[in-house]
Amino acid sequence: MSGLLSDQSWQYRALTDRNPGLAHLSDGLIDLMEDGHPVVAGSADLKYSNGLYQFERRYPDRYIQFGISEQNMVSAAAGLASTGMMPFVATFASFLGLLACEQIRMDIAYCAQPVRLIGHHTGISMGFYGTSHHATEDIGTMRSIADLTIVSPADGPQLRAAIRASAEHDRPIYFRTGRSQEPDIYGPDTTFEFGRAVRHGAGRDLSIIACGMPVHPALEAAAILGAEGISVGVIDMATIKPLDRAAVLDAAARAGRLMTVEEHNVVGGLGAAVAEVLADEGLPVRLHRHGIKDSFALIAPPTHLYAHYQLDADGIASVARNFLRQG
Amino acid sequence: MTLPNDFRPDAETLARLRDRARFVRLETIRLIEIAKVGHYSSVFSAAEIFAALYYDVMRLSPDPKWPDRDRFLMGKGHAAVGLFPIYADKGWLDPALLDNYTRLGSPLGDHPDMRKVPGVDFSSGSIGHALSNGVGMAFGGRMQGRDFTTFVMLGDGEMQEGQVWEAATCAAHHHLSRLVAIVDRNGFQLDGEVDREMSIEPLADKWRAFGWEVHEVDGHDPSALTALLRRVRADKDRERPCCIVAHTSKGKGVSYMETEPGWHLGYLAPEDAEAARREIIETEI
């Protein structure tokens, strides 16, 4: 039938061909299988959105289609882990971190089952699909659950490295990933260490602490500001919990001004986590929390939303200039 | 349903199972006296089922973490007080811990915690999760080539949780034949009679419609119950999960609890506890 259609037409299952970044998740799981780990992957009717159909094609006996039942998927993953399997279950972050929040708390974190939860298409990356599909609260919900590690990779290679590293991390993990259309920051050989931030430049005037999608535009914003003579360092806070407190304190000591950038409500998210560190330590440091300001996001294509909420490079640079202008 | 004779327990086994069910009820009274509040009647409806599973049907080992053991999950986690004495009896749990049930620092609370209590196959307390946990265990067993059976006890009030039916759909679709759900159909939930508060009938037909093999049994008849559980466990040809609707009485063994729904949660003062003990000891179930 495709012969009847123009080259511009495409359908859902061709998503991954149009966006190879989605393959990093499956590639990471295939790496683990090849290393002999007892991986099992599952998804809730989204295997073309998260690319797990590629893992399924390679290891059909290790993929579980859960259908549209996210809560069952999360609780079943916990049961799988209790038998010695290494489960990775994936769905939109809006459903995983919110709809299945209580299952994550009870069956995974409280029971200390080493399940890897993949909440993809985080923040406002689902754009005009609307609030039901936006996840601007999942850091907040997941961060308040004890014994849960939270990782927000900035690009595909970092996601793949974090998945590989998770084999040695015998604890529950919530991965918060974007829609895999973020430009790569890291190379294919990048490594990942849980709880260790990645520092990009020192930053004498300002340190930007970002996670996930905004890391790349934050780096671009630092370059823009650098050309204006403003020294800005960027910290990729890829592990949100446990937070790299030393990196926050070091940045505060260098610059005296911190700005967090996240594709999340500023309430309960990365900015809140950084603010807690500063308050705990009693540091007289100015902090600006940049993100979604306690509101439900508008609908628009994702790039339009990033511009509207000043989460692109120009927007972040502009917010930083205003912050530095304040006394 | 006609059962082959060889699945029926002999007289000696029956006497032992009755004794262990009585032990569960008496220990439950003793432990709740320490806590000063608890779910007597939720245990009493399940006592024969606990006894049949842990003292006859399940494949167990002195090591409560043995990978090939059968699993038992409690959707109705609030009846865990009836299981802890069994774990101690099995040698998995220090019996002295029972004497300090629910006191500060005790691993034993109203709901079972797998990280603290040897013998608990999965923690519970939030109604509706356990069948999904069992789905995962059944998948795990199959992927690892292990033939253990996962039994999941569900309360009849629990049938009101949507997640149960997500799990039921999933188990049937994926032919998880080593998964057995046991519904403790005692008729009461916290607020009152189940079918008055939120009707769940036609229960057996619902499970059948979801693609499960369904059996109904008197949950207080140790002979029929044990024979059915043995047969279900032994059936290697079944290609779908199995649900047993066990018809029970909430509070079974203590007459006034059987007719008064308020006993879902409560406390027996020492003299009343003594009378309840006497009734349990003197009555043959």
Side-chain angles (χ1 to χ4, degrees):
Chain A
M1 290 294 286
S2 61
L4 300 173
L5 302 174
S6 78
D7 292 344
Q8 279 71 49
S9 299
W10 64 278
Q11 50 102 330
Y12 177 61
R13 292 191 180 189
L15 198 63
T16 306
D17 298 334
R18 292 164 52 81
N19 179 15
L22 283 173
H24 286 285
L25 172 57
S26 273
D27 288 347
L29 300 191
I30 291 168
D31 293 342
L32 292 177
M33 283 295 286
E34 288 175 347
D35 288 345
H37 295 289
V39 171
V40 49
S43 191
D45 197 32
L46 284 176
K47 66 184 175 187
Y48 293 97
S49 290
N50 52 40
L52 279 177
Y53 77 94
Q54 293 176 332
F55 178 83
E56 181 193 27
R57 191 173 287 168
R58 185 81 172 268
Y59 298 105
D61 295 338
R62 291 299 185 88
Y63 175 79
I64 299 172
Q65 169 63 274
F66 281 100
I68 308 169
S69 66
E70 295 78 8
Q71 296 172 332
N72 177 55
M73 177 172 77
V74 168
S75 297
L80 272 158
S82 79
T83 67
M85 301 299 291
M86 185 186 282
F88 287 76
V89 291
T91 188
F92 288 144
S94 53
F95 307 139
L96 191 59
L98 299 171
L99 176 62
C101 177
E102 199 259 353
Q103 284 75 12
I104 293 172
R105 168 178 174 267
M106 273 301 297
D107 299 350
I108 294 182
Y110 168 59
C111 293
Q113 295 304 309
V115 172
R116 287 79 177 85
L117 303 151
I118 316 285
H120 52 84
H121 291 72
T122 54
I124 50 177
S125 69
M126 287 295 285
F128 53 78
Y129 290 90
T131 300
S132 61
H133 285 56
H134 294 167
T136 53
E137 306 89 352
D138 60 319
I139 297 176
T141 56
M142 295 296 102
R143 203 165 70 82
S144 62
I145 296 176
D147 296 340
L148 184 64
T149 297
I150 305 172
V151 174
S152 176
D155 67 2
Q158 194 181 46
L159 169 63
R160 185 172 178 173
I163 285 172
R164 292 184 62 125
S166 75
E168 308 303 322
H169 188 85
D170 193 30
R171 298 169 69 99
I173 307 169
Y174 176 77
F175 288 99
R176 182 181 205 261
T177 75
R179 57 183 183 139
S180 290
Q181 291 191 13
E182 298 79 17
D184 284 354
I185 299 168
Y186 304 101
D189 297 328
T190 191
T191 56
F192 189 85
E193 189 177 344
F194 286 92
R196 179 68 62 89
V198 183
R199 302 175 201 209
H200 298 272
R204 289 184 308 278
D205 300 314
L206 175 69
S207 276
I208 293 177
I209 302 175
C211 64
M213 179 285 290
V215 174
H216 192 275
L219 288 166
E220 291 180 300
I224 293 168
L225 295 167
E228 298 169 12
I230 304 170
S231 170
V232 178
V234 174
I235 294 173
D236 171 4
M237 195 62 83
T239 308
I240 296 171
K241 190 180 179 181
L243 197 75
D244 187 344
R245 296 173 71 94
V248 174
L249 297 178
D250 181 63
R254 281 173 198 275
R257 276 176 189 259
L258 302 181
M259 177 169 138
T260 53
V261 186
E262 61 192 311
E263 194 187 8
H264 187 275
N265 194 344
V266 293
V267 175
L270 175 67
V274 169
E276 288 165 14
V277 174
L278 300 179
D280 288 346
E281 301 292 334
L283 293 181
V285 176
R286 288 290 303 274
L287 168 68
H288 181 75
R289 292 174 294 138
H290 180 43
I292 307 297
K293 304 281 194 291
D294 203 17
S295 63
F296 293 108
L298 301 174
I299 61 163
T303 51
H304 299 209
L305 287 181
Y306 297 147
H308 175 80
Y309 288 104
Q310 296 187 292
L311 288 166
D312 58 359
D314 288 339
I316 292 170
S318 172
V319 172
R321 278 189 212 99
N322 288 339
F323 177 40
L324 290 170
R325 261 187 230 119
Q326 296 164 12
Chain B
M1 182 179 55
T2 310
L3 290 170
N5 286 335
D6 58 341
F7 283 115
R8 290 199 180 268
D10 58 25
E12 189 185 335
T13 304
L14 274 179
R16 188 163 52 87
L17 296 179
R18 286 200 169 96
D19 172 71
R20 291 298 83 186
R22 188 173 280 129
F23 160 76
V24 165
R25 289 190 174 92
L26 294 174
E27 282 291 271
T28 296
I29 290 179
R30 181 172 77 90
L31 267 55
I32 294 177
E33 271 185 306
I34 302 169
K36 300 284 190 284
V37 62
H39 294 91
Y40 300 97
S41 60
S42 306
V43 174
F44 294 173
S45 66
E48 278 69 31
I49 300 171
F50 290 172
L53 287 171
Y54 276 98
Y55 293 99
D56 187 277
V57 177
M58 286 171 70
R59 184 173 68 198
L60 301 168
S61 139
D63 173 10
K65 293 285 183 196
W66 181 44
D68 287 311
R69 73 190 184 282
D70 287 349
R71 271 74 170 168
F72 179 65
L73 309 185
M74 286 282 282
K76 42 175 286 182
H78 53 273
V81 63
L83 287 175
F84 299 146
I86 294 177
Y87 300 160
D89 193 35
K90 292 278 176 191
W92 300 331
L93 179 71
D94 178 0
L97 290 169
L98 298 176
D99 303 336
N100 208 30
Y101 172 68
T102 69
R103 299 300 86 184
L104 184 65
S106 170
L108 307 177
D110 192 57
H111 295 89
D113 183 336
M114 67 188 295
R115 293 172 74 180
K116 295 178 180 162
V117 186
V120 174
D121 288 316
F122 214 84
S123 309
S124 63
S126 180
I127 300 285
H129 295 201
L131 192 60
S132 296
N133 302 144
V135 162
M137 290 180 187
F139 269 123
R142 184 157 80 189
M143 287 175 180
Q144 296 169 56
R146 301 183 191 278
D147 68 346
F148 62 78
T149 300
T150 302
F151 295 94
V152 185
M153 175 177 278
L154 305 165
D156 50 0
E158 186 167 10
M159 300 299 97
Q160 295 158 2
E161 284 279 8
Q163 188 179 346
V164 170
W165 301 104
E166 291 185 0
T169 304
C170 183
H173 177 83
H174 289 289
H175 304 285
L176 299 178
S177 57
R178 303 317 302 161
L179 182 64
V180 178
I182 304 169
V183 181
D184 180 3
R185 183 70 170 113
N186 65 29
F188 289 95
Q189 58 188 111
L190 187 57
D191 275 357
E193 199 177 331
V194 169
D195 291 299
R196 225 179 132 95
E197 302 305 320
M198 183 58 65
S199 173
I200 62 170
E201 290 294 341
L203 186 57
D205 285 343
K206 283 181 182 171
W207 286 94
R208 274 188 207 102
F210 274 74
W212 289 54
E213 178 180 302
V214 179
H215 302 276
E216 298 191 65
V217 69
D218 177 348
H220 298 304
D221 176 347
S223 180
L225 178 66
T226 305
L228 176 61
L229 287 166
R230 283 179 177 183
R231 199 189 92 170
V232 161
R233 194 195 175 285
D235 184 357
K236 304 291 183 192
D237 298 327
R238 190 177 57 241
E239 291 181 346
R240 30 185 199 153
C242 176
C243 175
I244 295 172
V245 178
H247 294 281
T248 60
S249 296
K250 193 139 178 170
K252 181 73 175 180
V254 177
S255 45
Y256 53 86
M257 286 190 185
E258 294 185 37
T259 53
E260 172 46 63
W263 276 104
H264 177 87
L265 191 65
Y267 169 66
L268 289 172
E271 61 268 34
D272 298 321
E274 189 48 43
R277 263 189 216 103
R278 271 201 307 279
E279 187 178 349
I280 289 166
I281 290 167
E282 290 165 7
T283 310
E284 172 89 335
I285 292 174

XYZ file of all heavy atoms in Angstrom, chain A residues 40 64-65 69 71-72 75-76 79-80 82-83 85 102-103 107 110-111 113 147, chain B residues 113-115 122-123 126 129 132-133 136-137 139-140 143-144 163 166-167 170 174:
309
model
N 14.634 -9.005 31.344
C 13.314 -9.175 30.748
C 12.755 -7.765 30.563
O 12.905 -6.920 31.447
C 12.390 -10.072 31.615
C 12.373 -9.651 33.061
C 10.977 -10.107 31.068
N 7.727 -8.964 27.342
C 6.340 -9.185 27.766
C 5.485 -8.000 27.322
O 5.770 -6.858 27.686
C 6.232 -9.345 29.296
C 7.055 -10.556 29.773
C 4.769 -9.520 29.702
C 7.143 -10.663 31.287
N 4.460 -8.302 26.554
C 3.470 -7.285 26.230
C 2.451 -7.282 27.367
O 1.774 -8.277 27.597
C 2.791 -7.626 24.903
C 1.567 -6.791 24.582
C 1.878 -5.297 24.419
O 1.912 -4.540 25.403
N 2.130 -4.883 23.196
N -2.005 -1.705 30.754
C -2.242 -1.957 32.181
C -0.929 -1.686 32.932
O -0.196 -2.580 33.302
C -2.720 -3.391 32.412
O -1.718 -4.328 32.098
N -0.278 -0.428 35.906
C -0.150 -0.822 37.304
C 0.190 -2.307 37.412
O 1.068 -2.705 38.172
C -1.438 -0.484 38.061
C -1.682 1.021 38.105
C -3.030 1.397 38.657
O -3.993 0.635 38.561
N -3.125 2.565 39.241
N -0.490 -3.116 36.615
C -0.167 -4.544 36.588
C 1.272 -4.749 36.139
O 1.996 -5.580 36.702
C -1.134 -5.274 35.647
C -0.814 -6.744 35.519
O -0.739 -7.458 36.515
N -0.586 -7.209 34.303
N 3.713 -3.940 39.102
C 3.662 -4.941 40.172
C 4.207 -6.283 39.688
O 4.865 -7.001 40.450
C 2.224 -5.121 40.667
O 1.740 -3.924 41.224
N 3.934 -6.621 38.434
C 4.448 -7.879 37.889
C 5.972 -7.815 37.759
O 6.665 -8.820 37.995
C 3.807 -8.188 36.538
N 7.393 -8.791 40.946
C 7.343 -10.247 41.112
C 8.435 -10.939 40.308
O 9.084 -11.866 40.785
N 8.656 -10.464 39.090
C 9.734 -11.013 38.257
C 11.085 -10.845 38.937
O 11.888 -11.773 38.991
C 9.761 -10.282 36.906
C 8.874 -10.848 35.801
C 8.585 -9.791 34.758
C 9.539 -12.054 35.152
N 11.739 -10.613 42.004
C 11.858 -11.452 43.206
C 12.290 -12.876 42.863
O 12.760 -13.600 43.725
C 10.535 -11.466 43.986
O 9.609 -12.353 43.384
N 12.124 -13.270 41.600
C 12.566 -14.611 41.202
C 13.986 -14.594 40.635
O 14.479 -15.633 40.192
C 11.632 -15.226 40.137
O 11.756 -14.479 38.916
C 10.189 -15.234 40.583
N 15.036 -12.362 38.094
C 15.140 -11.739 36.774
C 15.535 -10.269 36.938
O 15.459 -9.699 38.028
C 13.806 -11.846 36.022
C 13.303 -13.267 35.804
S 14.408 -14.320 34.831
C 14.271 -13.570 33.196
N 1.907 4.389 43.200
C 1.747 3.611 44.431
C 2.307 2.199 44.285
O 2.863 1.629 45.230
C 0.257 3.577 44.819
C 0.008 3.207 46.268
C -0.408 1.761 46.440
O -0.638 1.080 45.420
O -0.504 1.309 47.571
N 2.198 1.655 43.082
C 2.800 0.332 42.839
C 4.326 0.435 42.911
O 4.992 -0.481 43.391
C 2.367 -0.209 41.466
C 0.944 -0.753 41.414
C -0.131 0.311 41.404
O 0.135 1.501 41.208
N -1.372 -0.095 41.618
N 5.600 -1.978 45.761
C 6.099 -3.271 45.272
C 7.565 -3.209 44.853
O 8.237 -4.239 44.823
C 5.259 -3.753 44.073
C 3.802 -3.967 44.445
O 3.488 -3.928 45.641
O 2.974 -4.162 43.549
N 9.687 -0.149 48.416
C 9.540 -0.710 49.764
C 10.039 -2.151 49.812
O 10.672 -2.577 50.793
C 8.067 -0.611 50.162
C 7.620 -1.379 51.384
C 8.192 -1.144 52.637
C 6.593 -2.310 51.298
C 7.753 -1.847 53.752
C 6.148 -3.001 52.407
C 6.729 -2.773 53.632
O 6.299 -3.466 54.720
N 9.783 -2.895 48.743
C 10.232 -4.293 48.702
C 11.656 -4.426 48.183
O 12.166 -5.547 48.077
C 9.283 -5.130 47.849
S 7.650 -5.289 48.581
N 12.985 -4.266 45.272
C 13.152 -5.128 44.105
C 13.898 -4.352 43.014
O 13.473 -3.268 42.627
C 11.784 -5.594 43.582
C 11.050 -6.481 44.566
C 11.873 -7.689 44.971
O 12.393 -8.404 44.127
N 12.035 -7.900 46.266
N 14.436 4.946 49.042
C 15.157 3.808 48.445
C 14.959 3.680 46.941
O 15.065 2.586 46.390
C 14.755 2.473 49.115
C 15.148 2.437 50.584
O 16.029 3.221 50.975
O 14.572 1.637 51.338
N 5.906 -8.170 55.594
C 7.019 -7.436 54.996
C 8.121 -8.433 54.622
O 8.772 -9.013 55.492
C 7.544 -6.399 56.007
C 8.656 -5.530 55.432
O 9.341 -5.970 54.486
O 8.841 -4.413 55.948
N 8.338 -8.627 53.348
C 9.300 -9.628 52.860
C 10.747 -9.289 53.226
O 11.596 -10.162 53.253
C 9.208 -9.762 51.337
C 9.667 -8.527 50.587
S 9.342 -8.594 48.797
C 10.392 -9.934 48.276
N 11.011 -7.999 53.499
C 12.385 -7.608 53.828
C 12.689 -7.903 55.286
O 13.843 -7.916 55.685
C 12.610 -6.120 53.554
C 12.548 -5.794 52.083
C 12.569 -4.309 51.838
N 13.895 -3.714 52.041
C 14.162 -2.430 51.883
N 13.201 -1.596 51.513
N 15.379 -1.950 52.072
N 6.139 -12.126 49.377
C 6.058 -10.748 48.884
C 5.262 -9.911 49.874
O 4.287 -10.385 50.445
C 5.423 -10.656 47.489
C 6.028 -9.553 46.679
C 7.203 -9.762 45.962
C 5.467 -8.279 46.689
C 7.795 -8.722 45.264
C 6.061 -7.244 45.989
C 7.221 -7.460 45.272
N 5.709 -8.678 50.068
C 5.007 -7.773 50.980
C 3.638 -7.424 50.413
O 3.443 -7.415 49.200
C 5.800 -6.477 51.164
O 7.131 -6.756 51.495
N -1.432 -3.050 50.402
C -2.255 -2.256 49.505
C -3.042 -3.241 48.656
O -2.490 -3.952 47.819
C -1.377 -1.361 48.640
O -2.185 -0.607 47.771
N -2.620 -5.562 44.603
C -1.339 -5.738 43.917
C -0.939 -7.202 43.748
O -0.177 -7.541 42.852
C -0.196 -5.079 44.698
C -0.294 -3.590 44.805
N 0.805 -2.807 45.075
C -1.321 -2.737 44.691
C 0.445 -1.532 45.126
N -0.846 -1.470 44.899
N -0.887 -9.351 40.573
C 0.125 -8.878 39.619
C 1.517 -9.347 40.036
O 2.322 -9.749 39.186
C 0.116 -7.347 39.551
O -1.101 -6.857 39.047
N 1.815 -9.300 41.329
C 3.101 -9.824 41.802
C 3.219 -11.298 41.414
O 4.273 -11.764 40.974
C 3.235 -9.687 43.318
C 3.107 -8.263 43.834
O 2.560 -8.026 44.906
N 3.610 -7.291 43.089
N 4.098 -11.802 37.816
C 5.543 -11.660 37.596
C 6.302 -12.906 38.025
O 7.222 -13.360 37.331
N 5.920 -13.488 39.151
C 6.600 -14.702 39.621
C 6.365 -15.865 38.651
O 7.274 -16.654 38.382
C 6.110 -15.072 41.011
C 6.592 -14.097 42.067
S 5.997 -14.568 43.698
C 6.531 -13.140 44.648
N 5.793 -15.618 35.442
C 6.665 -15.348 34.289
C 8.110 -15.739 34.625
O 8.798 -16.375 33.824
C 6.646 -13.855 33.942
C 5.607 -13.445 32.939
C 4.665 -12.465 33.249
C 5.583 -14.003 31.663
C 3.718 -12.054 32.328
C 4.625 -13.596 30.728
C 3.703 -12.623 31.064
N 8.576 -15.331 35.802
C 9.959 -15.592 36.194
C 10.244 -17.078 36.258
O 11.283 -17.552 35.788
N 10.425 -18.420 32.658
C 11.636 -18.000 31.937
C 12.879 -18.737 32.446
O 13.840 -18.905 31.712
C 11.834 -16.491 32.079
C 10.852 -15.688 31.251
S 11.015 -13.915 31.541
C 9.737 -13.281 30.446
N 12.846 -19.138 33.703
C 14.003 -19.824 34.276
C 13.857 -21.345 34.259
O 14.701 -22.059 34.803
C 14.220 -19.356 35.718
C 14.562 -17.879 35.825
C 14.517 -17.380 37.258
O 15.192 -17.911 38.131
N 13.702 -16.378 37.510
N -6.989 -3.373 39.448
C -5.717 -4.014 39.090
C -5.828 -5.538 39.080
O -5.125 -6.214 38.338
C -4.609 -3.557 40.039
C -3.225 -4.037 39.578
C -2.101 -3.574 40.478
O -2.271 -2.689 41.298
N -0.938 -4.180 40.326
N -6.757 -6.432 35.659
C -5.613 -6.275 34.741
C -4.742 -7.532 34.815
O -4.323 -8.079 33.797
C -4.743 -5.068 35.148
C -5.377 -3.706 34.949
C -4.423 -2.559 35.250
O -3.243 -2.799 35.627
O -4.843 -1.401 35.107
N -4.470 -7.957 36.042
C -3.615 -9.134 36.237
C -4.309 -10.389 35.699
O -3.656 -11.249 35.088
C -3.295 -9.297 37.722
N -3.975 -10.457 31.985
C -2.587 -10.714 31.591
C -2.232 -12.193 31.783
O -1.631 -12.823 30.904
C -1.673 -9.821 32.431
S 0.062 -9.926 32.038
N -1.258 -14.737 28.664
C 0.090 -15.319 28.573
C 0.143 -16.769 29.077
O 1.231 -17.312 29.269
C 1.088 -14.444 29.332
C 1.375 -13.130 28.649
N 2.104 -13.038 27.492
C 1.010 -11.861 28.953
C 2.195 -11.767 27.115
N 1.534 -11.028 27.977
